[in-house]
Structures are given as C-alpha cells and as structure tokens.
C-alpha cells in the first residue's frame, strides 16, 4: 500500500527525544524526514551511551538512545552559525510541508529561522515548536527536561509506593507524550491546510503534555477537591485492580466489574468473599480495600503464576504477567504484532539495527520505516543535490 504520508516532507531541526520522536512517527507513516544536524557533532544522543550499536570494524554506529528515535530519516550536516548553513535551511524549508524544532523559545530567531521569520515567506508551512513550557506564560524562557516535566506536571507525585518518595515513570513519558501530541497537532494542521491552503503554528510543551495525560486522576481531584495519594500499583477508582503475589513472583489482576470480581474470588478459593455484602460492588470494595486486598493476596500467594493465570484466563478475568524486557520481546503476541524491528545496515555487526515500530496498524499495514537511523551527514550530498546545491 501507499504509505499515508507519502509525498509529505518534514524538516527536523530537533534533537534529544520529544521532537525526534514526532519526526520518527511521521517517517514511519511515510513522510520524507530530513534531519538537520550540527556539523561535526550531530544530535546529542548519538553519544548517549553505552550501549552503542556495534559496527563490523569494531567501532560503533551511535548510541542505542539515538536509534530509538531517529529511524527512517535522512541526515544532513549544517552549521547553524554560518549564514550559508542558514540559507540552506531556508531553502529546505521552502520545499517542506512541516518543520519541527525544539530550540528554546526565541532560539532560532537569531538565525531568522523562527516562525515569525518564515511564515510570510512560506505560507503553507506547518511549523511545530517543542519546548518545556510552551511559547508563552511566566515559565516560557526556562529550559525544560522530562524529569522536571514529570515533577511539575503532577506525574511524579502520583507515582510510587505509599509513604515513599515520588517516583518518575521508567521511560521519559513527558517527552514521549509531547512527541505524540506534536504529531497529532501536525496531522491536524495538514488536514486544515487542505481546506484553507494555509500553514499553521503548532505549539507543544512537555509540562502541558504531562498535565494533559493526568486523565482520571486530574478529574478525581477537580471533582472531589481531595489530593490523590501515592498508592503504588493499586487503582484509585477500582478494587481489585493491582499486582498480586504468587508463589513464584507477581501477577496483575484487573477486575473491571462485579462479575469479574466474583469469578476472581471463586478461582482463588474464596467464594465467601464473592458473596460478602461489604464487597458486593466496587464502592464497597473501595471503602474496605485495606481489609479485602490482604485476604485476596494471601490466597493468590499459594498458587503459581502460570497456574493462576491459566485459570483466570479460562474464566475471562483480566490478568497478566509482569514481564521484563526479555519476556516482552519473547511474548507471542508482541512477536505476532511485529513490534520488534530488525532494519538492514551493512555496517552493523550482524547486519541489522533493532528498533520498535510505531504502534499503528492501517488496513493491516504495520507502521514502520524500512530504513534504520542515518549516519551523521549520510544524506548531505543527495539532499543538497535535490535543492540545486550539488
């Protein structure tokens, strides 16, 4: 099939994670993404290792971190401080549908590559800025990082075990969500351009994105006025919905209704808890969480992981293992869905560079570029030739 974004060109003036994550999603969906990198240095994350992707000659092809967010792009090296480099960027912008940048607010103005300097010259350009705090407001000039955004946006205060310090999510979730929201904004602006013929300015921020995904926790607070507490792996609105101990580790049980709760109790040999009026509905189970859960946990701990999971699946009670990453990529469902990629690169040891595809399937087509992350400046000559500079 023709990829959904075939024919769309994206100019990426971004580095680290949030901006490149958006660029990679667009590349996976078929866009031609040109990554502009500082001459001689490139994206900072090229050196954010170990681990590094090994090459056949004993050197390396960049840090794994870089390859996590730059699949399917073309790389051109330019010197932003050089007027000639700035001229080339403007020429590339003239032939692009989308520009993504994650400089500090006003950081591209000195190069005359900010939105204000480009919008009139390129009226159809979709210009997307990714910053820590957005283009306006009292914190706009501050630098923003994922850890700060998780803290300031409320995510860390919700995450962790009761009585323990706040905990960040195990991946850079604020960066990732900002990259996703940037992509959504870009796609919406492209659709709007189909109607109006005009480009747009997409302003995305790490803290905005973090606040934006607080979901039911935010509404719980806004409706009740009560401050949520850290409750570890339990759920603020549903019981039982958490991890439970088993004889050989832990599993997850996620009952979403009263019927599933009854089945869970029966499977673990506690039918009396299924019939107890105190626990008959979710409101009662929430009220009596502290006395109910220990009784359930004492029963699950007597069973092995695989035995309990098999019995719960047979009764259609939502449950699952807590996998490490080896188990994730060995999982039959993950394999079947093609989440792990092996992209050909002759210089790489073993001939491929691994990746994780964008989790979108359209008419059976699994969104992923066939090309690995580029070497620094790998496509400089061909890109310059395309714009008449070769």
């Amino acid at each position: 099939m023709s990829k959904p974004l075939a024919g769309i060109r994206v100019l990426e003036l971004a580095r680290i994670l949030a901006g490149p994550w958006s660029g990679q999603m667009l590349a996976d969906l078929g866009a031609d993404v040109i990554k502009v990198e500082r001459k001689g240095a490139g994206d900072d994350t090229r050196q954010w290792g170990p681990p590094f992707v090994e090459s056949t000659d004993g050197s390396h092809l960049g840090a794994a971190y870089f390859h996590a967010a730059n699949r399917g792009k073309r790389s051109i090296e330019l010197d932003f401080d050089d007027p000639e480099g700035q001229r080339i960027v403007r020429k590339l912008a003239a032939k692009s549908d989308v520009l993504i940048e994650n400089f500090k607010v006003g950081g591209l103005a000195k190069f005359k590559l900010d939105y204000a300097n480009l919008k009139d010259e390129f009226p159809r350009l979709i210009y997307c800025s990714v910053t820590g705090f957005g283009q306006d407001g009292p914190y706009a000039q501050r630098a923003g990082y994922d850890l700060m955004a998780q803290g300031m946006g409320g995510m860390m205060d919700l995450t962790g075990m009761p009585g323990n310090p706040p905990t960040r999510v195990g991946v850079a979730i604020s960066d990732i969500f900002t990259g996703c929201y940037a992509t959504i904004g870009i796609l919406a602006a492209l659709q709007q351009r189909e109607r109006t013929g005009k480009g747009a300015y997409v302003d995305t921020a790490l803290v905005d994105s973090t606040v934006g995904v607080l979901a039911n926790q935010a509404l719980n607070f806004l409706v009740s006025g009560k401050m949520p507490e850290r409750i570890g792996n339990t759920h603020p609105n549903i019981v039982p919905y958490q991890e439970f101990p088993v004889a050989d580790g832990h599993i997850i049980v996620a009952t979403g209704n009263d019927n599933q709760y009854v089945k869970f109790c029966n499977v673990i040999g506690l039918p009396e808890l299924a019939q107890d009026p105190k626990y008959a509905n979710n409101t009662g189970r929430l009220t009596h969480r502290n006395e109910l859960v220990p009784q359930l946990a004492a029963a699950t701990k007597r069973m092995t992981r695989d035995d309990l999971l098999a019995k719960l699946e047979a009764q259609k009670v939502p449950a699952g293992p807590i996998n490490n990453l080896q188990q994730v990529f060995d999982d039959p469902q993950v394999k079947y869905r093609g989440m792990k990629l092996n992209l050909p690169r002759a210089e790489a040891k073993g001939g491929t560079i691994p990746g994780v595809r964008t989790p979108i399937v359209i008419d059976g087509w699994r969104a992923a570029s066939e090309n690995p992350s580029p070497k620094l400046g790998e496509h400089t000559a061909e890109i310059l030739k395309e714009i008449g500079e070769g």
Side-chain angles (χ1 to χ4, degrees):
M1 63 171 281
S2 176
K3 294 184 179 180
L5 296 185
I8 296 294
R9 173 170 285 182
V10 178
L11 185 62
E12 183 186 298
L13 311 182
R15 61 197 189 282
I16 314 297
L17 188 52
W21 194 263
S22 177
Q24 179 172 264
M25 291 182 71
L26 296 169
D28 276 350
L29 291 167
D32 174 19
V33 180
I34 297 175
K35 186 177 181 71
V36 178
E37 303 189 69
R38 284 191 178 275
K39 199 165 187 177
D43 191 310
D44 306 47
T45 62
R46 286 184 180 274
Q47 303 305 319
W48 280 17
F52 295 95
V53 173
E54 295 183 61
S55 67
T56 54
D57 64 6
S59 61
H60 69 74
L61 299 175
Y65 196 117
F66 174 80
H67 291 282
N70 290 285
R71 175 177 61 250
K73 303 175 186 178
R74 297 193 289 165
S75 171
I76 179 173
E77 287 184 278
L78 292 174
D79 185 352
F80 281 87
D81 294 317
D82 184 349
E84 179 65 8
Q86 297 163 26
R87 184 184 70 82
I88 295 298
V89 172
R90 294 180 74 87
K91 200 165 182 180
L92 287 169
K95 294 182 176 294
S96 298
D97 299 282
V98 177
L99 186 152
I100 303 172
E101 61 91 9
N102 66 346
F103 284 69
K104 293 179 183 178
V105 172
L108 284 173
K110 62 182 178 181
F111 305 128
K112 299 190 184 308
L113 296 173
D114 58 320
Y115 179 65
N117 275 289
L118 296 182
K119 64 177 181 177
D120 293 333
E121 187 174 354
F122 311 121
R124 287 179 55 83
L125 183 67
I126 309 299
Y127 193 109
C128 178
S129 291
V130 177
T131 58
F133 299 94
Q135 296 297 304
D136 50 19
Y139 302 159
Q141 296 300 321
R142 295 184 186 180
Y145 298 91
D146 177 87
L147 183 61
M148 292 168 57
Q150 288 199 38
M152 297 181 72
M155 187 67 69
M156 284 180 66
D157 190 60
L158 297 171
T159 307
M161 300 303 291
N164 286 338
T167 305
R168 73 176 183 89
V169 178
V171 295
I173 202 75
S174 296
D175 274 327
I176 296 297
F177 272 119
T178 303
C180 291
Y181 279 129
T183 301
I184 294 168
I186 287 166
L187 295 177
L190 285 168
Q191 177 60 27
Q192 178 178 269
R193 191 179 70 176
E194 288 296 304
R195 298 195 308 271
T196 67
K198 296 179 180 179
Y201 186 54
V202 179
D203 171 10
T204 58
L206 271 65
V207 173
D208 289 2
S209 298
T210 308
V211 175
V213 298
L214 294 178
N216 59 298
Q217 289 281 38
L219 266 293
N220 287 348
F221 167 70
L222 293 174
V223 168
S224 71
K226 294 180 180 178
M227 197 67 66
E229 297 179 355
R230 286 188 290 283
I231 53 177
N233 297 316
T234 60
H235 195 289
N237 298 99
I238 308 171
V239 175
Y241 190 107
Q242 62 183 82
E243 106 287 347
F244 280 92
V246 289
D248 52 352
H250 291 81
I251 68 165
I252 293 165
V253 178
T255 64
N257 57 53
D258 298 337
N259 185 48
Q260 290 173 351
Y261 166 71
V262 170
K263 290 179 177 179
F264 175 42
C265 290
N266 290 336
V267 165
I268 62 176
L270 295 175
E272 66 276 13
L273 292 185
Q275 303 305 319
D276 192 319
K278 288 192 298 184
Y279 313 135
N281 57 46
N282 187 66
T283 300
R285 294 193 294 275
L286 271 171
T287 301
H288 300 287
R289 183 204 299 265
N290 291 339
E291 66 182 55
L292 172 61
V293 169
Q295 296 179 74
L296 300 173
T300 63
K301 198 168 184 178
R302 294 193 292 267
M303 306 176 71
T304 64
R305 186 187 85 154
D306 291 348
D307 179 46
L308 179 51
L309 288 177
K311 289 177 177 177
L312 291 173
E313 182 176 356
Q315 294 298 315
K316 295 183 168 48
V317 176
I322 300 174
N323 289 333
N324 62 34
L325 294 192
Q326 183 66 60
Q327 292 167 326
V328 169
F329 291 110
D330 285 342
D331 186 278
Q333 182 69 17
V334 174
K335 285 184 172 181
Y336 188 89
R337 297 287 287 179
M339 290 303 300
K340 180 185 174 185
L341 303 174
N342 288 295
L343 302 172
R345 169 68 79 179
E347 302 94 323
K349 186 177 180 180
T352 62
I353 295 176
V356 179
R357 73 169 178 85
T358 293
I360 296 172
V361 180
I362 301 174
D363 288 339
W365 171 73
R366 291 170 163 79
S369 172
E370 296 82 8
N371 299 315
S373 305
K375 293 180 289 186
L376 178 59
E378 179 179 353
H379 305 95
T380 298
E382 73 179 41
I383 293 169
L384 289 176
K385 186 175 181 180
E386 289 171 5
I387 59 173
E389 296 288 333

